[in-house]
Amino acid sequence: MSEKQEMIRVDKLNKSFGDLHVLKDIDLTVRESDVVVLIGASGSGKSTLLRCLNFLEIKNSGEIIIENEQIELHTHNLNNVRQRVGMVFQHFNLFPHKTVLGNIIEAPTQVKDVKKEQAIKEGKELLDKVGLGDKYDVYPSTLSGGQKQRVAIARALAMKPDVMLFDEPTSALDPELVGEVLSTIKELAEEGMTMVVVTHEMGFAREVGDWVFYMHDGKIVEYGPPNELFDNPKEERTQAFLSSIL
Ligand code: ADP
Ligand code: MG
């Protein structure tokens, strides 16, 4: 395992919003093909951590190393880095005035200079892959939440990222639609996509996760393989959290 490439390494990451110290000395390593699941109560800093990894938020201190390159605001074009680290949000953020396929080809054609025909070909393949081969030309408003989220996943994949970040991808969905989105993410994981997933779906964490990190109050309290963390948590805080949700 140690020979697998480090895709993301975070070292003593700190982030504050004004006086609010939200991330406190976070250390985290994500290796190639790893599925890292982040769990923790609301407000513990999970979204802020993902947003720092995607440079939607800029850290105050610490190091963020993406594929062996230390990324800094003043040394890197963050738009280029963001192409390597795709993100899927709780609220799908699709462009309502574009068709499903239009949503998929937007970034490749606008940001990456992919030729339109090529983007369409690849976009259709991605939509087929997420089970939306019959929805190329419809508008997002006609889709269910689960379908919208699968479009959002395909849209992120269209940029060919090396790592995918998922921030509570099923939290906005009706319960009966959660499964189809988790299956899509699980398939990606099985194909070897490296990913960090914030979720409250503990069944998914256990089944698909290679590592589970428990965050509380801006710190990583404990991490381990899912079976160890869920069945034999070492820290009292982790035990208390798990017994409150399981
Ligand atoms: P989680 O995703 O675990 O629920 P967040 O990362 O969203 O936690 O939030 C962690 C803390 O940071 C919360 O107290 C939240 O209110 C605060 N916070 C998040 N984003 C901002 C922001 N842009 N400005 C000020 N405070 C923020
Ligand atoms: Mg959050």
Side-chain angles (χ1 to χ4, degrees):
M1 183 182 57
S2 54
E3 71 275 15
K4 283 203 292 184
Q5 195 198 336
E6 282 182 3
M7 302 299 278
I8 297 178
R9 183 150 58 85
V10 171
D11 203 22
K12 292 225 171 332
L13 178 69
N14 283 274
K15 171 68 183 172
S16 297
F17 294 107
D19 290 339
L20 187 65
H21 193 179
V22 174
L23 297 179
K24 302 169 182 167
D25 285 338
I26 299 283
D27 294 332
L28 173 80
T29 300
V30 184
R31 293 193 178 82
E32 196 176 357
S33 299
D34 273 359
V35 176
V36 168
V37 177
L38 274 181
I39 62 172
S42 177
S44 57
K46 306 178 300 295
S47 294
T48 304
L49 175 53
L50 284 198
R51 292 170 65 81
C52 284
L53 296 180
N54 195 37
F55 303 92
L56 292 172
E57 299 289 354
I58 301 302
K59 69 186 164 88
N60 294 102
S61 67
E63 292 181 359
I64 301 177
I65 295 154
I66 307 283
E67 295 172 289
N68 299 318
E69 261 184 277
Q70 187 176 335
I71 310 298
E72 297 291 346
L73 195 52
H74 56 276
T75 55
H76 281 78
N77 177 339
L78 297 184
N79 283 322
N80 293 341
V81 179
R82 278 187 207 111
Q83 291 177 25
R84 293 194 262 149
V85 184
M87 185 143 168
V88 172
F89 302 88
Q90 182 175 346
H91 299 285
F92 333 109
N93 305 338
L94 298 176
F95 304 117
H97 57 288
K98 289 188 186 293
T99 64
V100 163
L101 192 56
N103 268 273
I104 307 285
I105 68 169
E106 176 72 10
T109 55
Q110 298 300 313
V111 181
K112 266 183 125 175
D113 280 340
V114 177
K115 291 237 163 41
K116 195 167 174 193
E117 306 86 86
Q118 179 67 17
I120 288 174
K121 178 174 169 286
E122 292 177 3
K124 286 179 173 173
E125 287 167 7
L126 284 169
L127 287 168
D128 295 347
K129 180 184 159 86
V130 300
L132 295 173
D134 56 343
K135 299 290 185 190
Y136 300 159
D137 297 322
V138 309
Y139 285 86
S141 60
T142 68
L143 300 177
S144 72
Q147 291 171 328
K148 284 180 195 167
Q149 191 60 300
R150 285 185 281 143
V151 174
I153 293 170
R155 183 176 60 174
L157 292 173
M159 294 299 277
K160 304 192 170 131
D162 296 331
V163 181
M164 288 276 282
L165 310 176
F166 293 89
D167 192 358
E168 299 198 31
T170 61
S171 292
L173 301 178
D174 291 334
E176 73 273 18
L177 304 177
V178 167
E180 65 192 58
V181 171
L182 292 181
S183 307
T184 301
I185 298 171
K186 185 179 162 198
E187 271 171 43
L188 271 182
E190 283 167 353
E191 289 168 13
M193 176 61 80
T194 308
M195 52 178 83
V196 183
V197 187
V198 174
T199 187
H200 298 291
E201 297 290 336
M202 297 300 149
F204 172 89
R206 198 187 264 275
E207 186 189 350
V208 182
D210 295 300
W211 299 98
V212 180
F213 282 68
Y214 168 59
M215 276 185 82
H216 174 76
D217 192 23
K219 296 191 194 108
I220 307 278
V221 174
E222 180 171 356
Y223 70 94
N227 290 342
E228 277 178 33
L229 189 113
F230 288 125
D231 298 337
N232 198 11
K234 292 185 180 54
E235 301 293 330
E236 249 172 66
R237 277 244 60 94
T238 318
Q239 292 162 10
F241 176 73
L242 290 174
S243 54
S244 75
I245 55 157
L246 294 176

